[in-house]
Amino acid sequence: MGPIIIMIIVIVALLVFGMGQIDKSNRLKREFGARLHSVGIHQYGLPQVSEGKIIDVLLGNEKIFIKTNHQIFELSLHKVRGIHSSAPNNRITSKSVLLTISYDMNGRFREIGIVFMKPSIAKQFLWEIEGRLFTTNSRNGVTRL
């Protein structure tokens, strides 16, 4: 009888934790007006944020928001020059994926590296940002590559 009670307690604890994470994600999406939210690990590129710090990454209509405990970074998609994954040929199959966002800051080229632990989330961010880059660079049915 003892192992069953322990298993039930563990299942209830996991359910409570999962519901708390869903609530946090929905609250952040509403706060920033974002469609996508995920938790990532900062690797490089953000000032005053240490390597390995857990961050919230949100993708809004025309902006990427990166939230740490004490700071919020806002990056306009109009300044993003490219995004690529660490996987060769954009085949995202490993357990963790590094996405590198290249952007223009005051005439200087910068990069932000973020590791996502779920390949499916990395694919979503990659495809959404690439799609927005294509629509930003297209006019009158012509897409500039």
Side-chain angles (χ1 to χ4, degrees):
M1 190 59 108
I4 293 175
I5 293 174
I6 292 172
M7 186 171 68
I8 290 173
I9 291 172
V10 168
I11 290 172
V12 168
L14 288 174
L15 284 172
V16 169
F17 176 75
M19 291 179 73
Q21 293 300 315
I22 290 171
D23 273 352
K24 176 186 173 189
S25 178
N26 289 337
R27 180 180 46 79
L28 286 172
K29 284 180 186 178
R30 278 192 308 273
E31 182 181 337
F32 291 102
R35 291 185 329 149
L36 288 177
H37 168 259
S38 183
V39 175
I41 300 171
H42 173 256
Q43 289 300 307
Y44 55 86
L46 294 175
Q48 301 174 353
V49 178
S50 61
E51 181 181 322
K53 177 112 173 133
I54 295 176
I55 56 175
D56 289 301
V57 183
L58 296 113
L59 181 61
N61 288 334
E62 293 299 320
K63 297 181 178 169
I64 300 170
F65 297 98
I66 300 173
K67 183 180 182 303
T68 65
N69 291 342
H70 305 291
Q71 294 176 308
I72 298 171
F73 296 93
E74 181 179 314
L75 179 61
S76 173
L77 285 176
H78 297 292
K79 292 187 174 190
V80 173
R81 298 293 171 238
I83 182 169
H84 62 276
S85 70
S86 61
N89 301 327
N90 287 337
R91 299 184 116 207
I92 300 175
T93 56
S94 65
K95 291 187 179 183
S96 64
V97 177
L98 172 68
L99 284 186
T100 303
I101 302 170
S102 304
Y103 69 100
D104 181 23
M105 183 178 80
N106 300 328
R108 293 175 34 197
F109 178 74
R110 300 277 189 171
E111 289 186 338
I112 299 173
I114 302 170
V115 172
F116 291 97
M117 300 314 275
K118 292 183 179 179
S120 61
I121 297 295
K123 280 183 191 178
Q124 277 185 309
F125 275 92
L126 182 70
W127 291 343
E128 283 287 327
I129 294 172
E130 278 184 344
R132 301 248 174 105
L133 291 176
F134 280 127
T135 57
T136 300
N137 290 330
S138 63
R139 289 195 184 114
N140 300 327
V142 176
T143 302
R144 293 180 313 208
L145 298 176

